Each structure stands twice: as structure tokens, then as C-alpha cells.
Amino acid sequence: GASLILSSKFGNKKRIEVKAEKGKQEVCNYLLDSQLVSDPVKTHLAFNDSLFFQQSDFLETNIPFHVKQGVYRKAIRFNSQKSHFDIHLNKNYKHVVARGNVERDGKDALALHLNTEQDPLEFKLNFPGLENSLHTYGITLTHKHGQYVELKTEFPYFQGFRINNIHDGDGRQKREIIWNGKNLGIMEIKGEIRS
């Protein structure tokens, strides 16, 4: 059987707990604590959750076959997962600052960072290596309005790309394309781009 418990601790803090049992033994437990603080200028959201499985292969035995194959198999095999996410919204300037992390069986599994207050804008996502893997996979997206967009990765075969706006004084829209560290050339955009 399964049970769902919703409770409010202190007005702006909420708790959700889901438990699953099989034969009077708990096989899964999920707990989510959230908090919302808001005023006319700022909003702050915080999420903390934990997920526990009695057996590390719980997801593996209870999800569709195609997910169990390849790289996903290691990603779904764990006993416990904890995560924390903080989101700050500035309503006046329409900025977002968000940070978060996920930990599986005591090891870092994901880190997230987004900041639209700074220039250039920055978004980072990092996946430390899975068990028996030497690779850390990460993505950083940087955007300097009117100048460039850049995606950097920590993947073994793809380093990323960068698109630079070229301002040469003739009024034409040109973009320089750099792919995996190699300059592919300059592209000219003719006409108007409308949304």
C-alpha cells in the first residue's frame, strides 16, 4: 500500500511525505519540504527533498525495459537521494538566481547554477562521474547580450560552440561561428527577424 501525508508546518512552509509498503515493510519513502517567502520586490523558493529505497534496484525492477539499458542503468540504481534547490526572483528587474544540488548515496550527482543578474548571463549544469566512470559531464551556457552566446561542455568529444555578433559598421547582421574550438567562418543574416 501507499500513504500520502500533506502537512503545513509554519504557514509558508509545506511538507509532503509519500510512503510505499509491501507486506508491512517500507520499500520507498519520499519527503519534500518547501518554503515560499515573497514581498512586492523579491520571491524566494526553497526545496529540500529526500528519496529512500529499501533496495537499490527498486527503480530498475519497476520501470519500463528501455530505461534499464545502457547509461540509464547506473543512473537509476541507488538507495538514497537528497536534493536542495534555492530560487531567488527579483520582480523589479526580472532576474533569477538559482542554485541546486542532488546527492545520491552520499555522492554528488548534479549541480545547477543560474544567474541572470550578472552580465554575461550564466547557466551551469554539472554531472559528476557515475560509478566506475572517470568522466565529469558539465555544461556552461553564457550569454552576453548583443555580443555572444557560448556553450562549453566537459564531454570527451564535444567541447562546445560560440556565436559572436560581428559589428563592422556596415549595418549588416553577421555572426562568427566557432565549433569545437575551430572557426567555421562568418555567416551573414539578410532581412528581418520577426517573432
Side-chain angles (χ1 to χ4, degrees), residues 110-113 123-127 137-141 154:
L110 176 128
L112 167 115
H113 173 76
F123 174 69
K124 293 181 181 180
L125 195 58
N126 186 275
F127 303 92
Y137 298 104
I139 297 170
T140 301
L141 178 66
E154 296 173 11

Side-chain angles (χ1 to χ4, degrees), residues 12-14 33-37 44-48 86-87:
N12 66 346
K13 293 182 180 181
K14 304 288 185 217
D33 286 317
S34 63
Q35 179 180 6
L36 171 66
V37 178
H44 173 231
L45 293 156
F47 300 98
N48 291 291
D86 254 334
I87 303 166

Side-chain angles (χ1 to χ4, degrees), residues 48-63:
N48 291 291
D49 74 341
S50 62
L51 177 62
F52 173 76
F53 296 115
Q54 186 66 32
Q55 295 177 309
S56 63
D57 65 349
F58 179 84
L59 288 176
E60 195 174 2
T61 56
N62 293 293
I63 59 173

Side-chain angles (χ1 to χ4, degrees), residues 26-148:
E26 186 174 282
V27 292
C28 176
N29 184 328
Y30 177 73
L31 180 67
L32 170 66
D33 286 317
S34 63
Q35 179 180 6
L36 171 66
V37 178
S38 187
D39 63 39
V41 178
K42 295 180 278 188
T43 296
H44 173 231
L45 293 156
F47 300 98
N48 291 291
D49 74 341
S50 62
L51 177 62
F52 173 76
F53 296 115
Q54 186 66 32
Q55 295 177 309
S56 63
D57 65 349
F58 179 84
L59 288 176
E60 195 174 2
T61 56
N62 293 293
I63 59 173
F65 179 76
H66 68 279
V67 180
K68 300 175 192 180
Q69 303 306 306
V71 69
Y72 298 112
R73 187 173 188 160
K74 290 180 183 176
I76 61 173
R77 198 175 252 265
F78 60 92
N79 284 100
S80 66
Q81 176 176 294
K82 292 181 180 180
S83 60
H84 173 77
F85 291 94
D86 254 334
I87 303 166
H88 297 269
L89 306 167
N90 183 316
K91 298 174 191 175
N92 288 347
Y93 299 106
K94 298 181 181 172
H95 291 302
V96 177
V97 176
R99 290 185 182 273
N101 68 302
V102 176
E103 196 177 271
R104 284 197 178 141
D105 291 333
K107 296 178 184 173
D108 291 336
L110 176 128
L112 167 115
H113 173 76
L114 169 68
N115 189 344
T116 66
E117 284 184 327
Q118 66 187 27
D119 189 26
L121 307 177
E122 192 170 70
F123 174 69
K124 293 181 181 180
L125 195 58
N126 186 275
F127 303 92
L130 297 171
E131 187 178 340
N132 300 325
S133 172
L134 299 176
H135 296 292
T136 295
Y137 298 104
I139 297 170
T140 301
L141 178 66
T142 308
H143 179 225
K144 179 112 173 130
H145 188 70
Q147 294 183 24
Y148 67 88

